[in-house]
Amino acid sequence: MKENIFPPAFSSAFSAGLDFFRKQFKKTATRYPRGIIVGMVLLMGISAALSFTLMRADKPYTSLSAKVAQYPGMLPQTSPNLLLEVITLQAELKSFADKGEPNPTDSLRMEEILKRIQQLNQKLINK
């Protein structure tokens, strides 16, 4: 049975390459320590500038419940009718889900319900 020589040959070539780069970096670091430190600080400054300007994430979305939690003593100014309508629509949607396989008219009604819930949600958020 022949022994596979490729993995040991590859690992020795890879380690020899790494050893070469390690020696070169060590020579450069002992010859120019100030340059390496200045380069690292410069790269950290560029990274900080980019992260606070160009790579900045958008303002995160805050939900209605998070907005209400910011004002613990105040009740939200929402209409009880809107909330009741959302609850009834959700109950109707659940009844379609419990049915099993919906027919085409059920699918259209579910789509209408979802659109109406989204409209009501926008009304509640914008208040």
Side-chain angles (χ1 to χ4, degrees):
M1 185 176 239
K2 244 179 172 181
E3 187 177 328
N4 191 355
I5 62 166
F6 290 112
F10 177 72
S11 74
S12 65
F14 185 68
S15 65
L18 283 179
D19 190 46
F20 171 76
F21 284 114
R22 183 183 59 81
K23 286 179 183 175
Q24 291 299 323
F25 181 75
K26 191 173 183 180
K27 280 184 197 176
T28 307
T30 55
R31 194 174 296 159
Y32 307 106
R34 184 177 291 171
I36 289 178
I37 292 173
V38 168
M40 285 191 303
V41 170
L42 185 66
L43 285 175
M44 286 188 333
I46 290 170
S47 173
L50 285 175
S51 66
F52 289 112
T53 57
L54 296 178
M55 303 292 215
R56 186 177 213 172
D58 291 337
K59 186 177 178 183
Y61 172 75
T62 56
S63 66
L64 180 64
S65 60
K67 289 178 185 176
V68 170
Q70 291 175 353
Y71 308 103
M74 301 174 66
L75 294 174
Q77 301 297 320
T78 58
S79 168
N81 295 333
L82 289 178
L83 293 175
L84 286 174
E85 187 177 353
V86 169
I87 290 171
T88 55
L89 289 173
Q90 286 177 341
E92 187 178 350
L93 193 62
K94 187 179 181 321
S95 70
F96 284 122
D98 291 340
K99 252 187 187 180
E101 183 120 3
N103 59 29
T105 57
D106 291 342
S107 297
L108 289 174
R109 179 63 185 148
M110 284 191 282
E111 189 175 334
E112 290 172 2
I113 290 172
L114 290 173
K115 285 181 183 177
R116 181 65 182 153
I117 289 175
Q118 287 176 349
Q119 291 171 353
L120 294 173
N121 189 24
Q122 287 300 321
K123 283 183 183 179
L124 288 172
I125 289 173
N126 291 334
K127 279 193 173 191

